[in-house]
């Protein structure tokens, strides 16, 4: 069975529309129809019912869905294993939340290489939304992220927290922080909710960003106040470039490890997660 038939089936299960699937896969509608017909011929069962009301999966199509996802995931794993075959026994593609890379990637991967010398690692630094999609499609084996989507085929576990502190190069006390001089950090939906609860008056700031690098650059260029990772706060304070804002409580951002439910107990997954968990520990 060709993997392209499986991927077309999965896309059509999402769109429930042959034209939309054709657009998303950059193929013609007749090609989508041909692929679905070929898949249906393989099983001698109709997978979709097509009528004036649209396209709906049949009972056979719904039963095949979980198996199709597993086949797609296994295919991606097999393809990567063959493509990267060399001196290493296995390979892994890992996603890391953008905001964690600067402070944790080096120590984390250095420890992983010592712990798992027979495993080659490809690290992708990205944001939660994309990593959830990549995990679900089988393009990542493991991801460390801020925002889980709790998809049916994925397993999530909280492994620690990253602490953010408010610093400023203009004022010393929270009462002096004005929205017009504030750079709002939106590191994740959860962080944004906690921030709005703690500082509702600062949620109308004219500038906002979800990336620490951008916030630090804006503070340096424009001046003002913002929440940054505790490690960056200590560095700025130590250099005399900013001070901690008195009265502004730290905000904790939860960190999650995510993997396919089938591989969540794999030895290399558990070791890689444990190493980062130790680095995140206070």
């Amino acid at each position: 069975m060709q993997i392209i038939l499986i991927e077309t089936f999965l896309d059509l299960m999402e769109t429930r529309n042959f034209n939309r699937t054709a657009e998303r896969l950059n193929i013609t509608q007749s090609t989508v129809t041909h692929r679905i017909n070929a898949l249906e011929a393989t099983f001698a069962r109709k997978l979709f019912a097509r009528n004036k009301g649209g396209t709906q999966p049949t009972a056979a199509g719904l039963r095949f869905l979980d198996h199709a996802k597993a086949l797609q995931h296994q295919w991606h794993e097999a393809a990567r294993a063959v493509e990267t075959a060399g001196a290493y026994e296995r390979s892994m593609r890992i996603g890391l939340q953008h905001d964690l890379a600067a402070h944790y990637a080096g120590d984390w991967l250095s420890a992983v290489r010592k712990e798992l010398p027979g495993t080659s690692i490809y690290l992708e630094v990205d944001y939660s939304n994309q990593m959830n999609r990549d995990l679900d499609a089988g393009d990542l084996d493991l991801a460390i992220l801020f925002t889980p989507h709790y998809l049916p085929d994925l397993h999530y576990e909280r492994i620690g927290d990253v602490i953010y502190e408010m610093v400023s190069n203009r004022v010393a006390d929270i009462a002096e922080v004005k929205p017009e001089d504030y750079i709002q950090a939106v590191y994740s939906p959860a962080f944004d909710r906690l921030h709005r609860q703690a500082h509702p008056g600062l949620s109308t700031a004219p500038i906002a960003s979800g990336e620490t690098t951008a916030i630090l650059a804006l503070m340096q260029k424009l001046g003002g106040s913002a929440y940054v990772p505790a490690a960056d706060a200590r560095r700025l304070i130590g250099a005399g470039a900013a001070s901690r804002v008195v009265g502004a409580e730290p905000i904790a951002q939860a960190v999650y490890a995510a993997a396919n439910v089938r591989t969540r107990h794999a030895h290399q997954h558990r070791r890689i997660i444990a190493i980062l968990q130790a680095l995140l520990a206070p």
Side-chain angles (χ1 to χ4, degrees):
M1 186 181 297
Q2 298 179 28
I3 190 62
I4 198 169
L5 303 184
I6 299 295
E7 292 178 336
T8 303
F9 167 82
L10 289 172
D11 195 274
L12 189 57
M13 286 294 291
E14 287 186 16
T15 66
R16 308 293 172 92
N17 184 289
F18 278 71
N19 284 327
R20 180 64 180 138
T21 286
E23 291 174 1
R24 284 167 43 141
L25 299 181
N26 196 29
I27 56 178
T28 64
Q29 182 185 343
S30 62
T31 300
V32 175
T33 300
H34 175 75
R35 291 178 182 177
I36 297 302
N37 287 344
L39 201 54
E40 291 176 334
T42 300
F43 293 116
R45 292 286 188 278
K46 284 292 184 183
L47 301 177
F48 294 95
R50 286 151 272 189
N51 51 50
K52 293 182 180 179
T55 300
Q56 296 298 324
T58 63
L62 291 171
R63 286 193 177 193
F64 181 53
L65 178 59
D66 287 342
H67 298 286
K69 289 181 177 179
L71 287 169
Q72 182 192 46
H73 184 77
Q74 289 169 356
W75 175 264
H76 283 288
E77 285 185 331
R80 287 200 303 274
V82 172
E83 290 168 0
T84 59
Y88 297 101
E89 299 171 6
R90 61 180 62 88
S91 65
M92 287 190 67
R93 292 178 65 92
I94 302 175
L96 179 63
Q97 184 78 32
H98 206 288
D99 230 39
L100 298 176
H103 297 295
Y104 296 99
D107 291 339
W108 183 35
L109 293 187
S110 176
V112 168
R113 289 293 299 121
K114 292 178 181 178
E115 184 80 14
L116 301 170
T119 300
S120 66
I121 303 292
Y122 175 82
L123 182 67
E124 183 80 31
V125 177
D126 214 327
Y127 293 96
S128 296
N129 284 343
Q130 186 60 50
M131 286 190 286
N132 279 295
R133 288 193 291 267
D134 289 344
L135 278 167
D136 195 41
D139 293 328
L140 287 177
D141 300 302
L142 174 69
I144 307 299
L145 43 76
F146 284 169
T147 308
H149 283 185
Y150 295 106
L151 298 168
D153 296 322
L154 301 184
H155 171 78
Y156 297 90
E157 59 182 289
R158 186 168 178 169
I159 62 171
D161 296 283
V162 175
I163 304 300
Y164 289 84
E165 297 180 348
M166 189 188 294
V167 296
S168 179
N169 53 19
R170 285 197 176 182
V171 302
D173 191 276
I174 186 62
E176 302 173 295
V177 179
K178 300 178 181 178
E180 56 267 29
D181 296 324
Y182 187 65
I183 302 166
Q184 185 178 350
V186 189
Y187 296 117
S188 73
F191 184 95
D192 190 39
R193 286 193 297 272
L194 292 172
H195 180 274
R196 289 176 183 274
Q197 291 171 9
H199 308 289
L202 297 178
S203 297
T204 58
I207 298 178
S209 176
E211 186 180 19
T212 296
T213 303
I215 289 176
L216 291 171
L218 288 167
M219 282 189 64
Q220 182 179 16
K221 190 71 175 179
L222 303 177
S225 310
Y227 270 98
V228 300
D232 286 309
R234 290 192 296 269
R235 177 177 58 80
L236 291 172
I237 293 167
S243 60
R244 189 173 285 106
V245 176
V246 177
E249 292 296 322
I251 295 179
Q253 167 63 57
V255 179
Y256 298 86
N260 188 277
V261 292
R262 296 186 304 104
T263 58
R264 68 184 186 276
H265 296 307
H267 168 71
Q268 63 269 24
H269 286 59
R270 301 317 312 165
R271 293 307 307 143
I272 291 171
I273 291 170
I275 291 168
L276 184 58
Q277 196 166 23
L279 290 173
L280 290 169

